[in-house]
Amino acid sequence: MTENNSTSGTQPTHVDAIHIITVSCADCGIKKDTKPMKTGGPRLPTGWKRRGNDCFCPACWRKLYVLRALIVPVAQPLSGSWDDLRADLKAVWTETTAASNWMITELYTRDIRRNGQPKMPPMPRVYLYPEARIKFPALPANSIASLEQATQKTYRSKRYDIVWAGSASLPSMRYPQPFPVANQAWSLSFNGANQPVISARIANQRWELRLKGGARYWRQTACLKKITSNAAIPGEAVFYRVTDGTIMCKMVAWLPREARSATMSGTLFVRTCIDKLLVAVDAKDQRVWTYNADHLRRWIAEYNRKRQRLAEDQKAEQRPVPSFAARRDAMTQKQHHRVRSAVQEIAASVALFAARRKIAVVHYDDSEHGFAGDGFPYFELKDRIKVKLDELGIELKETARAKTEQSTPEALSDDEAA
């Protein structure tokens, strides 16, 4: 016997005393069966989202919103001193590190072992939340749930190498592991000076932390204002510490996607080259945009030269830790920071140029790596370009040339190599 009671967006069905709820997308109308939660409402299928009383399928949701992480340093604690804040953060970072290591060890312990099977069996379902709540009572329940999801994702990504191939060891989570705060446990506001202030519970008290603002963080500030105006949907917040000791706050949010212009049309072909980083041509194969990035080659050449010379100076008398280890680490960190900054700048330039020409589709080909070599993260540039184009409603299609250029890049001058 089947009984249907129609409601807004859901239709409960009772079949042989098993409750099944049919959820329908508020935009496209697609329907999918799911089970109710203990509270009585519908449990959304994987990837579905809820906004108010409406449910949306993954495709329709991504037409409306784009997921972004807003990272801003903490400028000042308003509800206590820096010493108190660091003490509370140290306590939760210690707990999250211990919980993460315990979870990943338990996942490995309860996993299968290779014993003559022809191929690796699926991983058995492991639910560690109830045990983690007992073992780590100082952590909030929602933080433990977030840690379990992140740890499961990390373990599953390395499971083949660990369990089956035996080519990797079990990951070790090092202190300080980021402390996650669920979206219901933090709030955001702006003070009288138009500075963002986040309120979140850390350890045993609620902290109000002023975040950095100003002209340098105008993009983050604009997105944060969408959260306070309820135009964006906040997600998880994370507190972590970077190498220089700065406390960072990462806030994940679904930002409203800009409406795609009806006048967008045409195709732009962007590819890497041997004598320059990027070049863009139109449908007639005429060059319309160039990004040389000679400074990247200078940075990479200088960095490789210094690393090689320091490696030569690390003799047996300088092991295991050479006297210049701190200077080498600082040099490496500086190189990573400025290359990452260059990647973000280049990706934004490509996206803004395509938007200015009202391009609908960008074909991207990065098969040629001869200009910057292995010292430049071409894969990160591609991913960043995809993100920036997606924000502007421009489609990215990856293409590959049948044959890459075989010529060598021009040699660096003495000034460039120095």
Side-chain angles (χ1 to χ4, degrees), residues 266-330:
T267 302
L268 185 69
F269 297 87
V270 181
R271 63 174 181 262
T272 56
C273 297
I274 193 72
D275 57 344
K276 55 184 65 66
L277 184 64
L278 290 176
V279 63
V281 298
D282 57 16
K284 298 180 180 179
D285 203 27
Q286 296 180 349
R287 182 180 300 182
V288 295
W289 184 83
T290 301
Y291 199 100
N292 292 305
D294 290 331
H295 60 289
L296 287 177
R297 293 179 61 190
R298 290 197 299 270
W299 290 350
I300 294 171
E302 177 187 6
Y303 176 72
N304 290 338
R305 180 178 61 84
K306 289 182 177 180
R307 291 282 296 185
Q308 176 62 32
R309 294 178 69 85
L310 289 176
E312 294 171 355
D313 291 344
Q314 188 173 351
K315 307 300 183 183
E317 294 76 16
Q318 290 279 352
R319 295 172 182 170
V321 180
S323 58
F324 50 82
R327 179 160 52 93
R328 182 172 58 186
D329 292 342

Side-chain angles (χ1 to χ4, degrees), residues 142-214:
N142 44 38
S143 297
I144 291 180
S146 297
L147 285 175
E148 183 179 10
Q149 293 179 3
T151 306
Q152 290 249 13
K153 183 178 180 180
T154 300
Y155 179 77
R156 289 179 182 274
S157 66
K158 302 178 180 297
R159 179 173 176 254
Y160 178 84
D161 294 332
I162 297 172
V163 175
W164 202 248
S167 59
S169 59
L170 199 64
S172 177
M173 307 299 183
R174 298 185 178 182
Y175 175 89
Q177 281 297 299
F179 172 62
V181 181
N183 56 347
Q184 303 92 343
W186 68 274
S187 60
L188 188 70
S189 61
F190 282 82
N191 59 17
N194 198 29
Q195 298 170 328
V197 177
I198 185 172
S199 175
R201 187 170 185 82
I202 302 174
N204 296 321
Q205 76 172 80
R206 177 163 287 276
W207 282 88
E208 288 191 352
L209 307 175
R210 180 175 66 83
L211 306 178
K212 288 190 176 181

Side-chain angles (χ1 to χ4, degrees), residues 102-103 106 110 126-137 144 148:
W102 175 81
M103 287 178 182
E106 289 297 314
R110 305 181 191 191
V126 181
Y127 185 51
L128 300 174
Y129 174 82
E131 298 177 49
R133 289 285 290 132
I134 299 174
K135 194 173 183 63
F136 304 97
I144 291 180
E148 183 179 10

